[in-house]
């Protein structure tokens, strides 16, 4: 039983299902159309797997013109549309609706052009994030945003959620690296925004489109900025005996005028789980560890790492280790990038995405620990510390519906904490359905009304990805309040302690 | 039609006061001219509003956390105050805001941060660090209904709801009036090195700049100045391509080697000095070409945005029609063009080239009669015009903010 509800399906649409599928088939004969239950099952959820819904049908177009024809048809027949890339949303942004057609862009995956002189790439929206860099690397160029899911996630999905990644402290997020889009409006009209030039003539629609979670139009092509690949890069791994020390070290590095290309933070449970999964030499005796990476020439890297080590020594690190080889660097990042998967092997989890001002980091981690203990869940923290984007992973058992409901309450409380500390609900995953009902924590009626008015100018009938981002007022809020904290059930056994025990068994010292 | 609202100048001191004022204006259908200190009033179409609302009453830095790289300031805070505060902590606005005040006849540093963001005009470093709008983390504003709205926040990453803050950047006060802006700031570049190359053709210069941008040396400025303009720069003998890199001194030879063979420059020499200590606001890109002109005899000045590789062709074609003086910035992606005082300031010729080569042009400076007669901002394609009208309607349904400033019918 899911705590979050979806809009009531339009029975007028679901009852015409066969007819709609038939017409779509005739309309775009070249596109792949999936209408059988087995086939639709593949698309019933995204990476927020706790929520599932079989769509009316799934269509995989191969051109902007097909997207246009499909949207025009759906517009004229009042059929809802859920755009989808690779379905890696952790917030339910691509969750289907019973009365909606899923428009999956994954077949539109071509690199249209790499233009090294102007340092831009034009690609189809269904291309994976990593494929841009793969295509650009022979020119010494790369595409900067690098979300953890970059092997799978698509450019279109990145635009929908304004994806960041480990290296956005220096290079910015998707909105800072997007120069243009080709987009199809809900009525089928094809519009170009931006291009190879910088800055917009008139209003700048790109920031509005970026992060709008597929609610304003369907992006089919993107022009993105490519950057020159750095000469070299090197991480340093620093262990601390408290999260406060680690957090203060991050602030001190930035205060010294250094902006490393990445500063990743791992707490004790995360360190142990990752080390167990990929033996990268993470400091098992530490309460917290930082991976700080700098870029540049060899001289510059040495200079910066020395400065960073000097700063770190003020916070009495338990260990300081520079990567000594490209292999070691790869291993350090492999452990970090595999973290979610590693934790996923020991337990189900929900991954939160709140952002806090950096100065609040020790307080935030302390409170998150307290909240999770209150709800009796284990939590592992692994996140981009430089920008304050927290990713607490709350471990729970997804097969237990009581736990699901409780873990969502726990996550909700953490996000409310982030807002109360001066931050926000989501840094890069998007609101989706997951955080929809929390929007009033951050915004007033007027704030939300303003966003809704924009939505209504672009899509007056609310056919594009409805039920996401904006609260479905009243009903849920009431429901969420009705669960009493006194009725939390038994303590939950998760795998962190098991993993730590396994490390101990292998002879690692754990104080 | 104007109602009972008091016309003339208003400078509300609080957001609530502003909201009440705008609400009254909406009720009485009184158009409002929105501005900070008014240093860019001569840019865009003249606004025929009975009442002027300035943000200058809402001034001051509300929050500055150097270790979080965040500053929050009221919209009316003078740019000079913000830059001074940042300098105390060896930080800066990464996008290097262009101070248009001297170009338009005002004292440098007079403008407000609200004006900087509302116009989204970024300096040379935009190619490395991004535009003004990229550094907007959040805003507070009053919309055309007189409602206080906020979007974004004060943290680096935020995808909670639509990105209204960055959308307001570059909207010239026509959507909402910003009251407070949070900005991402960065440590100041401590040391930069500049390479000067002399005697290049436009085509070769832009190629050299593009090659420099393709190197990993974090080039933070890539400028090419026409010889006839450069000759008149009294304080700096700057001509040809100028490439600025913020890295340590030992590394300047590498970008020089990278561009050398292509540029075939007569002389290509690095100068080792602190760029920031010699470059003041008035010498930033764009200003360079125009600072000697007084406001009383304004030579038309255009700001053209295009793909770098089209820049030299665009200027070449244009030069066959009119006598244009040119500075290329952003490795050719931004062209500042001075045109002779023609009736249309060269609009037809410039935009004919852009129609073919892609990009857009804004008339930054011209006398009132010229600005009244032509499109100051790039005329929109019909589709964009419709969407722009919709966006305007979402924020300011009665059209009371800066009517006609960007587009006559909006």
């Amino acid at each position: 039983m899911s705590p979050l509800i979806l809009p009531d399906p339009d029975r007028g649409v679901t009852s015409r299902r066969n007819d709609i599928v038939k017409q779509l088939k005739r309309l775009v004969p070249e596109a792949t159309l999936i209408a059988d239950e087995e086939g639709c099952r593949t698309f019933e959820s995204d990476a927020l797997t706790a929520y599932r819904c079989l769509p009316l049908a799934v269509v995989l177009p191969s051109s902007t013109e097909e997207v246009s024809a499909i949207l025009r048809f759906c517009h004229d027949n009042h059929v809802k549309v859920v755009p989808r890339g690779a379905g890696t949303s952790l917030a339910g942004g691509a969750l289907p609706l019973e009365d909606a057609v899923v428009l999956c862009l994954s077949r539109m995956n071509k690199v249209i052009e790499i233009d090294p002189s102007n340092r831009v790439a034009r690609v189809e929206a269904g291309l994976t994030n990593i494929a841009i860099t793969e295509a650009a690397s022979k020119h010494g160029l790369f595409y900067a945003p690098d979300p953890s899911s970059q092997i799978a996630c698509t450019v279109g999905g990145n635009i929908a959620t304004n994806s960041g990644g480990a290296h956005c402290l220096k290079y910015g997020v998707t909105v800072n690296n997007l120069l243009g889009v080709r987009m199809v409006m809900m009525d089928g009209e094809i519009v170009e925004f931006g291009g190879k030039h910088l800055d917009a003539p008139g209003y700048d629609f790109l920031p509005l489109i970026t992060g709008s979670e597929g609610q304003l139009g369907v992006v089919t092509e993107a022009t993105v900025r490519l950057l020159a690949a750095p000469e070299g890069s090197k991480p340093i791994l620093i262990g601390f005996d408290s999260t406060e020390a680690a957090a203060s070290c991050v602030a001190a590095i930035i205060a010294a005028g250094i902006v490393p290309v990445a500063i990743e933070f791992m707490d004790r449970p995360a360190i142990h789980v990752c080390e167990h999964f990929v033996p990268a030499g993470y400091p098992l005796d530490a309460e917290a560890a930082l991976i700080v990476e700098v870029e540049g020439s060899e001289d510059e890297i040495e200079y910066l790492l020395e400065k960073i080590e000097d700063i770190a020594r003020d916070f009495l690190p338990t260990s300081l280790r520079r990567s000594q080889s490209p292999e070691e660097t790869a291993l350090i990042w492999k452990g970090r990038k595999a973290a979610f998967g590693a934790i996923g092997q020991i337990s189900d989890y929900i991954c939160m995405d709140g952002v806090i001002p950096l100065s609040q980091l020790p307080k935030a981690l302390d409170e998150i620990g307290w909240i999770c203990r209150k709800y009796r869940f284990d939590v592992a923290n692994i996140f981009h510390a430089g920008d304050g984007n927290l990713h607490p992973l709350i471990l729970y058992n997804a097969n237990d519906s009581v736990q699901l409901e409780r873990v969502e309450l726990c996550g909700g409380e953490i996000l409310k904490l982030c807002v109360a500390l001066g931050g926000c609900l989501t840094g890069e995953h998007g609101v989706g359905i997951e955080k929809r009902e929390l929007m009033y924590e951050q915004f007033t009626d007027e704030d939300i009304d303003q966003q809704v008015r924009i939505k209504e100018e672009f899509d007056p009938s609310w056919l594009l990805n409805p039920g996401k981002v904006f609260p479905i007022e009243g009903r849920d809020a009431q429901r969420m309040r009705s669960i009493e904290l006194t009725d939390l059930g038994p303590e939950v056994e998760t795998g962190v302690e098991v993993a730590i025990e396994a490390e101990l068994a292998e002879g690692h010292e754990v104080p | 039609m104007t109602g009972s609202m008091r016309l003339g100048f208003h400078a509300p001191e609080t957001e609530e006061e502003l909201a009440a004022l705008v609400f009254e204006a909406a009720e009485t259908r009184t158009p409002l001219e929105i501005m900070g200190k008014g240093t860019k009033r001569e840019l865009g179409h003249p606004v025929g509003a009975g009442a002027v609302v300035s943000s200058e009453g809402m001034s001051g830095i509300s929050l500055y956390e150097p270790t979080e790289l965040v500053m929050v300031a009221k919209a009316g805070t003078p740019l000079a105050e913000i830059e001074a505060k940042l300098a105390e902590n060896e930080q800066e606005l990464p996008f290097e805001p262009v101070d248009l005040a001297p170009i338009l006849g005002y004292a440098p540093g007079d403008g407000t941060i609200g004006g900087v963001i509302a116009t989204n005009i970024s300096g040379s470093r935009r190619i490395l660090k991004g535009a003004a709008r990229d550094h907007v983390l959040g805003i507070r504003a009053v919309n055309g209904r007189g409602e206080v709205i906020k979007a974004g926040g004060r943290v680096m990453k935020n995808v909670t709801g639509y990105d209204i803050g960055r959308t307001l950047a570059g909207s010239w006060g026509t959507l909402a009036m910003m009251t407070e802006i949070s900005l991402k700031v960065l440590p100041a570049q401590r040391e930069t090195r500049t390479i000067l190359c002399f005697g290049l053709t436009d085509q070769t210069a832009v190629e050299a700049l593009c090659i420099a941008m393709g190197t990993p040396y974090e080039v933070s400025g890539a400028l090419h100045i026409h010889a006839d303009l450069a000759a008149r720069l009294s304080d700096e003998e700057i001509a040809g391509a100028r490439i600025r890199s913020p890295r340590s001194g030992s590394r300047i030879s590498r970008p020089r080697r990278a561009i050398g063979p292509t540029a075939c420059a007569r002389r290509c020499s690095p100068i080792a000095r602190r760029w920031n200590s010699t470059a003041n606001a008035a010498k930033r890109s764009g200003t360079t070409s125009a600072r000697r002109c007084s406001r009383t005899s304004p030579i038309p000045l255009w700001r053209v945005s295009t793909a770098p590789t089209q820049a030299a062709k665009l200027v070449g074609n244009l030069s066959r029609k009119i006598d244009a003086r040119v500075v290329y910035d952003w490795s050719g992606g931004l062209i500042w063009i001075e045109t002779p005082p023609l009736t249309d300031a060269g609009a037809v010729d410039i935009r004919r080239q852009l129609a073919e080569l892609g990009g857009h042009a804004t008339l930054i400076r011209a006398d009132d009669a010229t600005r009244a007669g032509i499109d100051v901002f790039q005329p929109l394609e019909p589709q964009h015009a419709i969407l722009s009208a919709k966006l305007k309607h979402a924020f300011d349904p009665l059209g009371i903010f800066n009517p006609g400033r960007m587009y006559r019918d909006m």
Side-chain angles (χ1 to χ4, degrees), chain A residues 146-264:
Chain A
D146 62 339
S148 303
S149 56
Q150 68 182 143
I151 301 166
C153 66
T154 63
V155 177
N158 291 174
I159 293 169
T161 59
N162 194 14
S163 299
H167 293 81
C168 65
L169 181 59
K170 179 170 173 188
Y171 294 117
V173 293
T174 301
V175 71
N176 310 119
N177 290 280
L178 184 70
L179 293 177
V181 297
R182 192 170 197 212
M183 183 164 107
V184 187
M185 310 299 290
M186 188 61 220
D187 62 5
E189 189 156 347
I190 300 168
V191 193
E192 297 271 351
F193 296 101
K196 288 184 179 178
H197 54 270
L198 302 168
D199 293 359
Y203 295 145
D204 191 353
F205 287 90
L206 290 174
L208 192 61
I209 293 162
T210 311
S212 64
E213 306 201 26
Q215 289 199 317
L216 303 180
V218 176
V219 171
T220 58
E221 289 177 19
T223 304
V224 299
R225 211 157 73 105
L226 299 174
L227 303 176
E231 293 155 278
S233 61
K234 192 181 275 191
I236 181 169
L237 199 55
I238 316 170
F240 297 91
D241 62 9
S242 72
T243 52
E244 288 80 1
S248 307
C249 183
V250 173
I253 291 170
I254 291 172
I258 303 171
V259 181
V261 68
I263 308 181
E264 297 291 292

Side-chain angles (χ1 to χ4, degrees), chain A residues 115 117-119 140-141 160-162 164-165 168-170 172-173 175-176 178 185 189-193 196-208 210-213 215-216 225 228-231 251 254-259 295-297 299-300 307 353 355-360 384 386-387 389 421-431 439 442-444 446-447 450-451 453-455 457-458 469-470, chain B residues 65-69 89-91 120-122 126-131 133-135 143-145 147-164 166-167 169-172 174-175 184 186-188 190 209-211 213-218 247-248 250-251 254 303 305-310 330-331 333 358-360 377-378 380 383-384 386-395 406-407 410:
Chain A
D115 176 350
S117 299
N118 291 310
R119 301 171 305 283
L141 302 170
T161 59
N162 194 14
C168 65
L169 181 59
K170 179 170 173 188
V173 293
V175 71
N176 310 119
L178 184 70
M185 310 299 290
E189 189 156 347
I190 300 168
V191 193
E192 297 271 351
F193 296 101
K196 288 184 179 178
H197 54 270
L198 302 168
D199 293 359
Y203 295 145
D204 191 353
F205 287 90
L206 290 174
L208 192 61
T210 311
S212 64
E213 306 201 26
Q215 289 199 317
L216 303 180
R225 211 157 73 105
E231 293 155 278
I254 291 172
I258 303 171
V259 181
E295 285 182 347
S297 65
D299 292 352
E300 199 172 9
K307 264 185 96 167
D353 179 41
V355 187
I356 51 146
L358 207 52
S359 58
Q360 303 289 336
H384 319 307
D387 48 33
N389 191 182
L421 292 175
C424 68
L425 295 172
T426 172
E428 56 186 355
H429 295 176
V431 177
M439 286 288 272
Q442 194 175 328
F443 294 117
T444 63
E446 284 80 12
D447 299 338
Q450 183 60 66
Q451 296 181 31
R453 281 191 207 108
I454 296 169
K455 164 73 174 164
E457 292 287 346
F458 277 71
V469 183
F470 300 109
Chain B
E65 290 282 355
T67 60
E68 292 176 13
L69 306 175
N89 287 280
E90 292 187 62
Q91 294 192 331
N120 188 32
I121 296 182
S122 321
R126 190 241 185 280
I127 46 171
L128 179 67
K129 297 290 181 186
R133 69 99 143 142
D134 288 301
H135 297 85
N143 67 15
R145 296 165 183 259
E147 296 166 344
V148 175
I149 54 166
K150 69 168 181 303
R154 52 160 289 206
V155 287
M156 288 296 146
K157 275 159 93 182
N158 196 336
V159 60
T160 323
Y162 300 160
D163 192 347
I164 287 173
R166 291 193 181 93
T167 305
S171 68
W172 293 80
T174 61
L175 297 178
K184 178 181 179 178
L186 281 181
R190 291 214 169 127
L209 295 174
C210 285
I211 288 169
M213 288 308 299
T215 65
Y217 310 119
E218 305 203 343
R247 294 304 186 81
S248 56
S250 63
R251 302 180 65 216
R254 285 181 235 182
R303 187 174 182 274
S305 190
T306 187
T309 50
Q310 304 286 19
W330 300 355
S331 76
H360 55 89
F377 292 87
Q378 182 75 16
L380 297 174
Q383 278 181 324
H384 290 130
I386 292 167
L387 286 169
S388 298
K390 286 181 171 183
L391 191 62
K392 169 84 172 165
H393 190 259
F395 282 93
M406 292 179 83
Y407 304 104
M410 234 167 68

Side-chain angles (χ1 to χ4, degrees), chain B residues 262-279:
Chain B
T262 307
C264 299
R266 267 187 268 136
R267 191 152 65 85
C268 192
S269 62
I271 50 171
R273 61 170 166 77
R274 287 172 64 106
W275 173 276
N276 288 328
S277 63
T278 54

